[in-house]
């Protein structure tokens, strides 16, 4: 669709001089006008006050950060994915960028993101998280320097696997540092962040916790804790090695403000630490301990009772504080108990996920008593040994959860034990009575001898019948059966007529499947998402699960992980075409990889594979030499050890991507250039071709690559490499139908750019001329230029029509016909003039005829280069870079601080005009450009003989 020219940007006019009009482009939020139709009761998001919007942004960001703090999922989750909410509209973006509190939680990944977060957070306090691979793309020293300079602002510090650095561990932190979390960090108890003002300290090791997280002895730890008298939360995972007191008796420590304490380690050592720490204000205690001998039970029991009773008694049975108790029974060697001092509602107990919400959390690994014969009650030995030693005898509400088989005996035995003399309410949740149906009668018998139980609630228990409820009702006055089971035939009906408020359950199945497919595509296109993470959307409800399992297309994208998943996906995908991707094979066991390849390459499955992706894989001989069918039309190779003789380079291929490491420092193939072109000759059906570093380092002058390769159907060519490689490929490929060209090249001289420009002119003209100035090469009508400061690079994007600004600003919404990224690897010494070099580059490219120019995303350093592009001193001998400019638009160009860039640019416009309208610019548009005021916009008007558009953006 052609828009003629960008004149539609103008909304209104205000005369500011005799010859110039300043107008506002249509880039501001739509004015809020009270609705007059029947939907006026439904408030738009635009009606929300700014404070409410910002609170929503904070909640979204907090959710993302809380997911990111989970060590198990961090490598797979983007900590800044919440930024998507700031891209909804420009109004939201403006609110977000100018709200410092939104940018205070920093996960250090790259230097650029750290700088942006520090700048946007202003002077607010920071929460800083440093991960293992921070700065892996360069700038590590600068990252540490920025952290050192902003230590006074850090309130929360999280170190996750980074190497020990003096910039973090040494140097003074301000009293504002309140929270420190260390995960597998080689810390010392003398590190400066362990200061007296600290309120929260968490120290954890690896998942198996088989080594100390720090080299310090217990004496050093206790000495450090004595300094931290303001500590309110303390987590200590595997606090020392097997030698308990390497430097002698550490003594005791009193922490008067400590409210939350968490210890992980052996039962013997956890008991010793609890006994040596006085915590009179303690309200929440979490223990993860292992018991291997019976003697450890008494020590752990007395230590827990001492803490839970706020240091009043060491006898567990004397502690009556815990009113609500939850016990999980599904694992014979693991005891999970949570307890609360208050009477909790069932929904809070059964659905709560945050273990820190409970006042007492106990996770006991029981290693004793499993050498004997297996018999009735064997599954319950751990619980029968551990529960009596816990300080939970005062429970009023007891929840038993997740029991099956002989483990159900645990409920009966515990009810008959003298531990709980008065339990008014008993909850049974997810108990599998179907495996031992006779146990319901035994449970009823146990309830008869415990008249104190007044109510039994049965929730989500399988194998329960009406007669069983009658049996239990004979022993207990009140039996409540909460059955959440729904018959299979009960699915949401879409023909029953919508209710007053339409539920998502009334959506047609086709629309539900489309929603799921969109989510699957987004999830699998995001490399940070775990494999098959999208399956969680099929578990929202049983109806969605039913629809998903009956829709084979959902199960066609296979990530090669395990043979089990391959079998599941193959079965659910039916006879649909498959999209197979092999991830990094170095992380897979050879036997697992062999089993997956064997399944996929069986004759029936191999015929269904439509897309094949090989990512960071060593050479898979069976894959490279398989007999592929014509169904395989797409191949994506990323750092795969292929040869151009591999069988998947066959005639039906339509989409081919060959790329190496992201820094493009290595060739992705070691074969000869001639082999590559011979392979391309066979692939006459190619529609898209991407070659990143496609040839070796040695380029011989006059090297014979054979006849020119004609690809009659190619629609997109993407080449990445040195200018020589790009020229070599462009000269040896004939592309009569090519509508889109994407080139990323490194250059050292303007002469090299000129040689590359001749190839571009050849392609843009439909292979008619190699002269960039020829009329046949003047196919582009609109040009967007992205100029970056050092490291010097420039991006040109060109369209053959006049696209609307929304497409120019976001080219992924409308791909340009030409994308050219030039990385300057030449001279950058003190005498180097990047502005003059940019002018020379623009002069040799086939873009000088273009009349609609967008200057975009230019930093303050770049603004000084713009006047030379608009008006050069020697224009009388060499002419202007662009002889005629109709529309000149500045988008996100930083003119701040004025008037450094603004004055020079307006002066260039004024000189270009020079009283001769044929050289002047007709329209100037200023959008999202900081550093401008109405007076400076008037200066733009003096150099423009038409109109000036300005959105009044203020940074």
């Amino acid at each position: 669709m052609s828009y003629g020219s960008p004149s539609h940007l103008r909304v209104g006019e205000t005369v500011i001089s005799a010859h110039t009009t300043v107008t506002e482009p249509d880039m501001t939020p739509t004015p809020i006008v009270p609705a007059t139709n029947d939907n006026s009761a439904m408030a738009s998001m635009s009606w929300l006050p700014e404070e409410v919007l910002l609170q929503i942004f904070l909640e979204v960001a907090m959710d993302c950060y809380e997911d990111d703090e989970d060590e198990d999922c961090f490598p797979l989750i983007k900590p800044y994915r919440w930024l998507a909410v700031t891209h909804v509209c420009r109004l939201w973006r403006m609110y977000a960028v100018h709200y410092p509190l939104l940018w205070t939680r920093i996960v250090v990944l790259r230097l650029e993101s750290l700088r942006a977060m520090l700048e946007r957070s202003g002077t607010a306090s920071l929460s800083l998280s440093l991960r293992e691979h921070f700065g892996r793309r360069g700038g590590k020293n600068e990252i540490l320097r920025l952290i050192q300079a902003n230590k006074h602002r850090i309130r929360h510090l999280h170190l996750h696997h980074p190497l020990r650095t003096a910039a973090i561990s040494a140097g003074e932190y301000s009293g504002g540092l309140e929270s420190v979390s260390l995960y597998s960090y080689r810390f010392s108890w003398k590190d400066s962040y362990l200061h007296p003002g600290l309120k929260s300290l968490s120290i954890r090791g690896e998942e198996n916790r088989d080594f100390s997280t720090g080299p310090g002895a217990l004496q050093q730890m206790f000495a450090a804790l004595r300094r931290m008298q303001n500590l309110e939360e303390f987590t200590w995972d595997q606090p020392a090695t097997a030698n308990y007191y390497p430097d002698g008796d550490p003594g005791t420590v009193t922490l008067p403000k400590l409210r939350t304490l968490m210890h992980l380690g052996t039962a013997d050592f956890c008991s010793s630490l609890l006994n040596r720490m006085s915590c009179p204000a303690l309200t929440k205690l979490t223990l993860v301990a292992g018991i291997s001998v019976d003697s450890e039970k008494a020590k752990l029991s007395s230590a827990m009772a001492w803490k839970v009773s706020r240091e009043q008694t060491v006898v567990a049975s004397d502690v009556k504080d815990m009113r609500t108790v939850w016990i999980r029974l599904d694992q014979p060697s693991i005891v999970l108990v949570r307890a609360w001092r208050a009477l909790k509602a069932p929904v809070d107990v059964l659905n709560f996920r945050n273990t820190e919400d409970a006042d007492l959390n106990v996770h006991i690994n029981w290693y004793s008593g499993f050498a004997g014969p297996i018999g009735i009650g064997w599954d319950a030995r751990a619980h029968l040994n551990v529960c009596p030693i816990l300080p939970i005898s005062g429970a009023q509400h007891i929840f038993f959860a997740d029991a099956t088989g002989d483990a159900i005996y645990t409920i009966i035995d515990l009810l008959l034990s003298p531990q709980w003399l008065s339990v008014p309410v008993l909850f049974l949740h997810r108990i599998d009575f179907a495996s031992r149906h006779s146990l319901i009668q035994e449970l009823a018998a146990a309830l008869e001898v415990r008249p104190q139980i007044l109510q039994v609630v049965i929730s989500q228990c399988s194998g329960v019948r009406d007669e069983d409820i009658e049996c239990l009702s004979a022993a207990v006055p009140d039996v409540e059966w909460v059955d959440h089971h729904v018959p299979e035939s009960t699915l949401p009906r879409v023909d029953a007529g919508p209710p007053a408020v339409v539920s998502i359950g009334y959506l047609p199945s086709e629309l539900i499947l489309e929603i799921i497919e969109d989510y699957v595509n987004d999830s699998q296109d995001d490399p940070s998402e775990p494999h098959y993470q999208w399956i969680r959307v099929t578990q929202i409800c049983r109806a969605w699960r039913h629809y998903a399992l009956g829709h084979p297309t959902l199960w066609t994208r296979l990530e090669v992980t395990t043979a089990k998943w391959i079998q599941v996906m193959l079965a659910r995908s039916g006879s649909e075409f498959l999209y197979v991707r092999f991830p990094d094979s170095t992380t897979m066991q050879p036997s697992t990889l062999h089993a997956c390849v064997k399944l996929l390459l069986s004759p029936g499955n191999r015929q269904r594979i439509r897309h094949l992706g090989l990512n960071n894989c060593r050479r898979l001989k069976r894959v490279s030499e398989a007999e592929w069918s014509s169904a395989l039309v797409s191949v994506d190779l990323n750092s795969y050890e292929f040869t151009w003789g591999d069988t998947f380079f066959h005639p039906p291929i339509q989409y081919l991507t060959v790329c190496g490491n992201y820094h493009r420092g290595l060739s992705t193939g070691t074969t000869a250039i001639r082999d590559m072109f011979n392979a391309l000759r066979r692939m006459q059906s190619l529609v898209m071709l991407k070659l990143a570093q496609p040839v070796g380092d040695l380029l011989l002058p006059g090297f014979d690559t054979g006849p020119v390769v004609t690809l009659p159907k190619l629609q997109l060519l993407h080449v990445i490499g040195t200018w020589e490689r790009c020229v070599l490929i462009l000269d040896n490929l004939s592309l009569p139908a090519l509508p889109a060209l994407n080139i990323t090249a490194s250059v050292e001289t303007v002469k090299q750019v000129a040689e590359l420009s001749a190839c571009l002119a050849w392609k843009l003209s439909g292979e008619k001329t190699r002269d960039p100035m020829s009329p046949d090469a003047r196919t582009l009508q609109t040009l967007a230029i992205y100029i970056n400061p050092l490291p010097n690079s420039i991006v040109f994007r060109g369209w053959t029509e006049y696209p609307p600004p929304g497409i120019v600003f976001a080219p992924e919404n409308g791909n340009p016909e030409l994308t050219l990224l030039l990385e300057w690897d030449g001279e950058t010494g003190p005498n180097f003039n990047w502005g003059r070099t940019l002018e020379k580059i623009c002069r040799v490219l086939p873009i000088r005829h273009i009349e609609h120019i967008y200057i975009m995303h230019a930093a303050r350093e770049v603004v000084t280069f713009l006047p030379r592009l608009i008006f050069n001193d020697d224009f009388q001998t060499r002419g202007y870079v662009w002889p005629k400019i109709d529309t000149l638009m500045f988008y996100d160009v930083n003119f701040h601080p004025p008037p450094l860039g603004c004055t020079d640019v307006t002066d260039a416009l004024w000189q270009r005009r020079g009283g001769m309208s044929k050289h002047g610019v007709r329209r100037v548009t200023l959008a999202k450009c900081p550093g401008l005021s109405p007076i400076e916009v008037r200066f733009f008007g003096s150099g423009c003989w038409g109109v000036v558009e300005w959105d009044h953006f203020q940074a």
Side-chain angles (χ1 to χ4, degrees):
M1 180 177 179
S2 177
Y3 286 79
S5 69
S7 60
H8 61 283
L9 285 175
R10 183 168 53 184
V11 174
E13 297 185 353
T14 302
V15 179
I16 63 172
S17 67
H19 62 278
T20 303
T21 305
V22 177
T23 64
E24 298 184 6
D26 190 10
M27 300 182 63
T28 56
T30 304
I32 299 176
V33 180
T36 57
N37 55 17
D38 294 337
N39 295 326
S40 59
M42 299 180 62
S44 168
M45 290 292 288
S46 301
W47 289 76
L48 291 178
E50 177 182 350
E51 299 82 343
V52 177
L53 277 176
L54 293 176
Q55 186 62 34
I56 294 174
F57 296 166
L58 277 178
E59 294 292 337
V60 173
M62 289 294 295
D63 288 344
C64 294
Y65 285 122
E66 288 173 358
D67 290 343
D68 177 62
E69 290 174 357
D70 185 354
E71 290 83 7
D72 295 333
C73 69
F74 171 75
L76 305 172
I77 290 183
K78 289 183 177 180
Y80 293 131
R81 66 191 187 280
W82 62 268
L83 287 173
V85 78
T86 70
H87 299 159
V88 171
C89 65
R90 198 167 63 81
L91 179 64
W92 286 26
R93 181 70 175 173
M94 181 182 69
Y95 286 159
V97 170
H98 296 86
Y99 188 50
L101 293 182
L102 197 59
W103 309 92
T104 56
R105 299 188 65 123
I106 303 177
V107 179
V108 181
L109 300 176
R110 295 183 301 170
L111 176 60
E112 295 81 2
S113 62
L114 176 61
R115 281 176 174 166
M117 297 290 284
L118 289 175
E119 179 180 356
R120 293 174 181 175
S121 60
T123 59
S125 299
L126 303 176
S127 174
L128 185 72
S129 179
L130 203 63
R131 303 290 177 162
E132 181 177 8
H133 301 296
F134 78 94
R136 61 181 178 181
R137 296 187 180 181
K140 186 172 183 178
N141 292 334
E142 180 65 13
I143 289 175
L144 294 176
R145 188 193 68 78
L146 288 174
I147 295 175
Q148 186 77 15
N150 289 275
K151 274 188 175 181
H152 63 285
R153 298 174 54 195
I154 299 177
R155 177 165 293 182
H156 306 283
L157 180 64
H158 184 191
L159 305 179
H160 187 292
H161 275 289
L163 297 176
R164 180 177 175 83
T165 56
I168 301 298
S169 299
E172 292 298 326
Y173 287 83
S174 71
L177 180 61
E178 297 179 354
S179 172
V180 172
S181 177
L182 310 177
Y183 190 88
S184 294
Y185 179 69
R186 302 297 295 180
F187 74 100
S188 168
W189 286 107
K190 297 181 180 179
D191 287 346
S192 57
Y193 45 73
L194 301 176
H195 66 106
L198 207 61
K199 294 183 179 180
S200 176
L201 176 61
S202 174
I203 303 176
R204 296 174 180 267
E206 293 293 340
E207 183 178 359
N208 54 5
R209 303 190 298 277
D210 57 354
F211 60 89
S212 171
T213 57
L218 286 182
Q219 279 191 338
Q220 297 175 0
M221 181 185 79
F222 276 69
L225 291 177
R226 291 186 186 99
R227 296 194 302 269
M228 294 182 278
Q229 292 296 292
N230 292 310
L231 205 61
E232 297 178 0
E233 298 178 7
F234 182 36
T235 299
W236 187 221
D237 180 357
Q238 189 61 17
T241 57
N243 185 5
Y244 287 173
Y245 310 117
D247 298 322
D249 189 349
T252 61
V253 59
T254 299
L255 299 173
K257 298 182 180 180
L258 193 69
R259 297 183 177 275
T260 302
L261 177 63
M262 181 176 181
H263 276 327
L264 298 89
T266 63
D268 194 8
F269 195 71
C270 286
S271 303
S272 300
L273 279 182
L274 291 177
N275 290 330
R276 293 178 178 275
M277 298 176 64
S278 177
C279 314
L282 187 68
T283 58
K284 295 183 180 180
L285 175 64
T286 299
L287 290 179
V288 179
I291 297 179
S292 57
V293 295
D294 289 340
S295 60
E296 294 178 338
K297 292 193 304 180
K299 292 180 62 177
L300 186 62
S301 176
S302 62
M304 283 191 294
W306 181 247
K307 294 305 175 195
V308 172
S309 67
R310 294 182 173 88
E311 303 179 359
Q312 298 297 319
T313 179
V314 295
V315 180
S317 59
D318 292 343
V319 180
K320 305 296 183 181
D321 294 354
M322 298 302 166
R323 308 285 300 279
T324 304
V325 175
W326 175 90
I327 303 175
R328 185 172 175 177
L329 305 166
D330 61 338
Q331 301 184 65
S333 61
I334 298 178
V335 180
L336 294 176
V337 177
R338 296 172 185 142
W340 294 261
R341 289 184 170 87
L343 293 176
K344 305 289 286 187
V347 65
D348 296 329
V349 176
L350 300 179
N351 296 331
F352 100 109
R353 297 181 179 180
N354 184 8
T355 58
E356 296 179 359
D357 176 69
D359 299 320
L360 175 65
N361 296 278
V362 180
H363 181 138
I364 301 295
N365 294 312
W366 181 260
Y367 303 119
S368 176
F370 282 89
I374 298 177
I376 294 179
W378 179 84
D379 285 350
R381 288 181 183 174
H383 296 83
L384 294 178
N385 279 276
V386 172
C387 287
I389 69 170
L390 299 179
I392 56 176
S393 59
Q396 299 293 303
H397 292 182
I398 296 183
F399 293 76
F400 290 108
D402 302 315
T404 183
D406 287 343
I408 303 177
Y409 280 106
T410 308
I411 302 173
I412 300 173
D413 292 338
L414 291 175
L415 289 176
L416 295 175
S417 69
Q419 182 176 14
W420 294 299
L421 299 179
S422 176
V423 182
V425 182
L426 175 66
F427 292 83
L428 303 178
H429 182 63
R430 289 202 301 250
I431 308 299
D432 183 16
F433 289 106
S435 58
R436 293 288 189 274
H437 199 275
S438 61
L439 292 182
I440 294 184
Q441 284 74 27
E442 296 192 35
L443 177 61
L447 292 173
E448 287 182 351
V449 300
R450 292 296 303 271
Q452 300 87 354
I453 298 180
L454 304 178
Q455 183 183 23
V456 174
V457 180
I458 300 176
S459 170
Q460 299 184 28
C461 296
S462 59
V464 180
R465 302 168 300 181
D466 292 335
E467 50 267 35
D468 298 326
I469 300 298
E470 294 178 1
C471 180
L472 294 174
S473 299
V476 179
D478 184 8
V479 177
E480 181 179 354
W481 186 13
V482 182
D483 186 7
H484 295 286
H485 176 70
V486 180
E488 290 292 328
S489 59
T490 306
L491 289 176
R493 297 178 56 85
V494 299
D495 56 352
V501 178
V502 178
S503 167
I504 195 171
Y506 283 85
L507 292 177
S509 59
E510 298 83 358
L511 186 55
I512 291 176
L513 289 172
E514 187 175 347
I515 293 172
I516 297 176
E517 283 185 349
D518 289 342
Y519 178 78
V520 171
N521 293 333
D522 292 343
S523 177
Q524 295 195 341
D525 289 342
D526 187 353
S528 67
E529 286 285 341
H531 301 318
Y532 303 119
Q533 183 71 15
W534 60 268
I535 293 180
R536 61 188 176 186
V537 79
T538 69
Q539 299 168 350
I540 291 178
C541 64
R542 207 161 49 77
W544 284 35
R545 183 73 174 172
H546 172 78
Y547 294 144
L549 292 178
H551 191 59
T553 306
L554 284 179
W555 310 93
T556 56
R557 292 198 173 192
L558 278 67
E559 291 281 346
V560 178
T561 53
T562 63
K564 178 181 177 181
W565 263 114
I566 296 296
Q567 289 176 331
V568 171
M569 297 291 285
L570 289 174
R572 294 178 179 176
S573 60
S575 58
E576 298 288 332
F577 287 120
L578 302 175
Y579 301 82
V580 180
R581 179 178 176 271
F582 285 83
D584 191 348
S585 62
T586 59
T587 62
M588 299 178 63
Q589 293 292 337
S591 58
T592 302
L593 182 62
H594 174 76
C596 293
V597 171
K598 184 178 179 181
L599 278 172
L600 290 171
L601 295 186
S602 63
N605 295 327
R606 187 175 67 247
Q607 307 299 321
R608 298 167 53 197
I609 297 179
R610 194 170 192 83
H611 169 83
L612 178 64
L614 298 166
N615 183 45
N616 290 326
C617 295
R618 57 178 180 270
R619 182 172 179 80
L620 303 176
K621 184 177 180 180
R622 294 188 61 186
V623 174
S624 296
E625 300 178 2
E627 295 182 4
W628 295 100
S629 70
S630 58
L632 180 64
V633 297
S634 175
V635 173
D636 187 346
L637 307 178
N638 189 348
S639 298
Y640 176 69
E641 299 177 7
F642 71 95
T643 68
W644 287 106
D646 288 344
T647 55
F648 43 67
F649 294 122
H650 64 156
I653 288 295
Q654 299 179 20
Y655 306 92
L656 176 61
T657 298
V658 180
C659 59
N661 293 334
Y662 71 93
H663 54 77
R664 304 189 304 279
L666 299 175
S667 171
T668 56
T670 58
T671 56
I673 304 173
R674 187 182 292 109
D675 292 340
M676 180 184 74
F677 286 109
N678 288 336
L680 292 177
R681 288 187 185 93
R682 297 194 302 269
M683 294 180 277
Q684 292 294 292
S685 299
L686 274 177
V687 176
M688 188 277 292
L689 175 62
K690 179 179 179 180
L691 299 172
Q693 294 295 88
V695 296
D697 294 328
L698 184 60
L699 293 176
L700 301 177
F703 182 79
D704 183 15
T705 59
V708 173
V709 179
T710 301
L711 299 175
K713 299 181 180 180
L714 197 68
Q715 301 292 309
L716 172 63
L717 175 63
H718 190 177
V719 181
I720 304 175
T722 63
W723 74 273
E724 287 181 294
R725 293 169 175 148
C726 295
V727 168
L728 176 69
I729 293 173
L730 291 175
D731 281 344
N732 287 274
L733 292 179
S734 177
L735 314 169
L738 182 69
L741 186 62
N742 193 327
I743 304 295
T744 299
S746 57
V747 295
E748 298 179 356
T749 64
V750 177
K751 183 179 179 181
Q752 295 174 358
V753 180
E755 295 190 35
L756 180 61
S757 176
C759 295
L760 297 178
W762 178 249
K763 299 305 177 188
L764 292 174
S765 65
E767 301 183 355
K768 296 178 181 179
T769 179
R770 301 179 68 88
D771 182 8
M773 302 298 112
S774 172
D776 291 329
R778 299 178 180 179
T779 58
L780 302 177
Q781 301 299 324
T782 303
L783 179 69
I785 306 177
Y786 306 75
I787 307 174
N788 298 319
L790 292 173
N792 299 316
S793 65
I794 184 170
V795 182
F796 299 92
R797 290 194 175 102
W799 288 263
T800 57
E801 296 181 348
Y802 301 102
I807 289 181
V808 178
F809 302 154
E812 64 273 6
N813 297 329
N815 291 327
E817 281 72 22
L818 173 65
T819 300
L820 174 63
L821 191 157
L822 297 177
E823 297 177 347
W824 183 261
D825 292 339
E827 177 190 359
T828 57
N831 298 325
F832 174 70
N833 189 318
W834 181 225
R836 187 176 297 276
T837 303
L838 287 177
E839 178 195 347
K840 295 178 180 179
I841 290 175
C842 292
R843 286 184 180 276
V844 300
L845 292 174
I847 59 174
R848 297 189 60 191
H849 64 283
I850 298 177
E851 299 180 8
H852 301 279
I853 310 295
Y854 288 73
I855 307 295
M856 305 181 62
H857 305 300
R860 186 173 57 197
E861 300 89 339
V862 175
V863 174
T864 58
F865 307 150
L866 300 183
R868 175 165 288 277
L869 297 180
I870 299 172
F871 176 85
N872 53 299
D873 297 336
D874 54 352
F875 72 96
Q876 294 182 350
T877 57
R878 302 179 60 193
Y880 292 108
V881 175
W882 291 286
K884 184 178 180 180
I885 300 179
D886 180 83
T887 301
L888 180 62
M889 181 168 190
F890 298 93
Y891 178 77
D892 192 22
V893 176
N894 189 359
F895 291 100
H896 186 80
L900 293 179
C902 177
T903 303
D904 294 338
V905 173
T906 55
D907 185 62
L909 287 171
W910 182 84
Q911 294 186 53
R912 181 185 178 95
R913 181 180 179 183
M916 298 175 290
S917 60
K918 64 178 181 179
H919 295 304
V921 178
R922 185 179 67 87
R923 180 190 304 274
V924 174
T925 302
L926 303 164
K928 288 190 65 176
C929 295
L932 292 178
S933 66
I935 296 178
E936 288 148 352
V937 175
R938 292 177 184 270
F939 293 155
F940 277 96
S942 65
C944 172
W945 61 271
V947 295
V948 176
E949 300 170 340
W950 182 37
D951 64 348
H952 294 275
F953 176 81
Q954 298 293 332

